[in-house]
Amino acid sequence: MGRTGRETESAKRMLRREFLAVRNTLTADDVREAARALARHALELPELARARTVAAYVSVGTEPGTLPLLDALRARGVRVLLPVLLPDNDLDWGVYAGESSLTRVRHSGRMALLEPAGERLGPHAVTEADVVLLPGLAVDARGMRLGRGGGSYDRVLARLEAADAHPARVVLLYDTEVVEHVPEEGHDRPVQAVVTPPGVRRFS
């Protein structure tokens, strides 16, 4: 990584700390209320209305809540894929079968994650998705997403590209996390839309 790469990664780390600090001030009621609004707006997306398979994730802590959306998609008959974190930070996938089917898994050095308890489908299962819902900490006016820094979703996006798969990429955030600019690196890819509690914003 050259000097510019080091500076970009340093800037990303600083921004991550700032956004996480704001999230940590949210109450459980704030998170629940935002989750209901996120689900309502996300379900109006034409891409989700057409989707037969959606790759999503289970929010934890003060992340924008996803469970109401996962349950609504499943009620529509959508096949919802959820990630399983592998030791090398890559992601395997399993099918969401309701909240009771989730298992709390503590990974080394990370907060506990909620993962599907059923059959593992393999890392390439994500290439079957019509929509990929991405976690993040911010998105800018170009649709560039600031992730949490683990690299798991960089691998997912690279795998989709290698398979010539083109699902809609959507990030779920709080409204204060839509900003003018986030630092980017060569492997970063833009999203098509961001869903926040007030509504949806699309990027060209």
Side-chain angles (χ1 to χ4, degrees):
M1 190 183 289
R3 176 177 163 79
T4 303
R6 283 198 301 272
E7 288 173 350
T8 300
E9 189 49 50
S10 175
K12 283 184 170 183
R13 276 198 302 272
M14 191 163 59
L15 279 175
R16 287 185 190 112
R17 282 196 295 269
E18 291 173 9
F19 287 115
L20 286 169
V22 174
R23 281 189 180 180
N24 287 339
T25 67
L26 297 172
T27 67
D29 284 342
D30 293 333
V31 175
R32 269 194 299 272
E33 188 177 330
R36 287 193 293 269
L38 283 166
R40 192 168 62 249
H41 294 304
L43 290 167
E44 293 169 357
L45 285 169
E47 293 90 341
L48 280 179
R50 294 190 297 264
R52 288 177 294 181
T53 299
V54 173
Y57 61 97
V58 185
S59 56
V60 292
T62 55
E63 276 189 305
T66 60
L67 276 172
L69 176 55
L70 302 185
D71 286 333
L73 289 170
R74 186 166 169 262
R76 280 183 177 179
V78 176
R79 182 171 176 251
V80 178
L81 302 179
L82 294 179
V84 177
L85 187 66
L86 297 172
D88 65 354
N89 273 0
D90 205 347
L91 298 178
D92 201 337
W93 298 86
V95 174
Y96 180 54
E99 191 173 353
S100 63
S101 72
L102 299 174
T103 303
R104 189 172 292 277
V105 181
R106 184 166 293 282
H107 295 276
S108 176
R110 293 170 175 262
M111 68 170 70
L113 301 176
L114 290 168
E115 298 180 345
E119 179 191 358
R120 300 292 181 254
L121 305 175
H124 280 84
V126 70
T127 63
E128 301 166 13
D130 302 302
V131 178
V132 177
L133 299 177
L134 298 160
L137 289 169
V139 70
D140 72 14
R142 304 162 301 161
M144 301 306 295
R145 179 185 68 98
L146 178 69
R148 294 191 75 124
S152 299
Y153 280 89
D154 293 331
R155 295 193 196 191
V156 168
L157 295 174
R159 184 166 288 126
L160 293 170
E161 214 165 83
D164 199 27
H166 304 284
R169 298 183 300 274
V170 179
V171 63
L172 306 175
L173 296 173
Y174 296 110
D175 53 325
T176 55
E177 296 168 345
V178 181
V179 298
E180 275 305 306
H181 180 78
V182 297
E184 68 178 281
E185 296 174 271
H187 59 261
D188 290 328
R189 296 290 178 268
V191 298
Q192 277 87 42
V194 57
V195 182
T196 66
V200 174
R201 178 170 172 180
R202 292 186 173 277
F203 305 103
S204 56

